[in-house]
Amino acid sequence: MSANALPARLAEIRDEFLELEEPDRLQLLLEFSQELPEVPVEYADHPELRERVVECQSPVYIIVTVDTDDTVAMHATAPAEAPTTRGFASILAQGLTGLSADEVLAVPDDFPQSIGLTRAVSPLRIAGMTGMLMRVKRQVGARRAA
C-alpha cells in the first residue's frame, strides 16, 4: 500500500495501531468501537437510506453523503455486541468523513489489511471492513455521477 495515497487521518489511525503490540491493538479497536458516532437525526428514521454491508456477519448499515462542495460523510450503525465490527465501522467513519470524494476514492482498497490486525482477528472480519470500504467508495462514485 502506498502511504502517499492515504489521507492524513487514516494514516494517523493506521500508525496508532502499528505503534502497538498486537494485544494492545485489540484494545485500541475496542476503544474505536465505543467512539462510533451516532447516525445524525435526519437519517435515524430513514432506514431506506441505509445500505446493509452483507460482508459483515453482524448487521452493519452505512449511509454515505457527498455535499455540494464534494465533502464526504460516512455514518454507520453496528450493534454494541459486535465490538470488532463496530470498531472497524468507527475507524472508517472517523477516517473518511470530511475528505473530498477524490480522496475517498483514492484510499487503497487494502487499507483494512494495513492496520496490523490481520493476525489478531479473523480474515472474515477483515473482509467485513473491506466490504464497508468498497461500499463507501461505490456510493461516493455513484453520488458523483448523479
Side-chain angles (χ1 to χ4, degrees):
M1 184 176 82
S2 169
N4 295 339
L6 203 57
R9 179 63 183 136
L10 284 177
E12 179 183 311
I13 291 170
R14 180 202 58 211
D15 294 347
E16 281 181 64
F17 277 96
L18 296 179
E19 289 170 359
L20 300 172
E21 297 294 323
E22 220 166 73
D24 295 329
R25 291 175 190 168
L26 290 174
Q27 181 60 39
L28 182 57
L29 184 62
L30 178 60
E31 291 171 21
F32 268 99
S33 77
Q34 296 164 350
E35 298 169 357
L36 179 64
E38 291 291 322
V39 172
V41 174
E42 62 264 29
Y43 302 116
D45 294 330
H46 293 282
E48 73 279 4
L49 300 176
R50 301 175 189 173
E51 179 178 0
R52 169 84 192 258
V53 181
V54 295
E55 294 85 352
C56 293
Q57 292 177 313
S58 302
V60 176
Y61 295 86
I62 62 169
I63 300 167
V64 178
T65 61
V66 180
D67 291 348
T68 55
D69 67 350
D70 213 34
T71 301
V72 173
M74 176 197 166
H75 310 287
T77 63
E81 53 279 351
T84 300
T85 303
R86 193 173 167 82
F88 287 152
S90 180
I91 288 167
L92 291 174
Q94 292 183 51
L96 299 175
T97 297
L99 297 179
S100 71
D102 285 339
E103 289 171 317
V104 170
L105 294 172
V107 170
D109 294 346
D110 64 349
F111 171 74
Q113 290 79 26
S114 76
I115 60 175
L117 290 169
T118 55
R119 293 187 334 188
V121 300
S122 73
L124 195 54
R125 301 260 186 228
I126 297 291
M129 185 181 189
T130 302
M132 284 183 233
L133 178 59
M134 295 299 96
R135 288 174 186 284
V136 169
K137 291 172 82 170
R138 182 188 49 73
Q139 284 191 30
V140 167
R143 281 172 178 66
R144 284 186 99 195

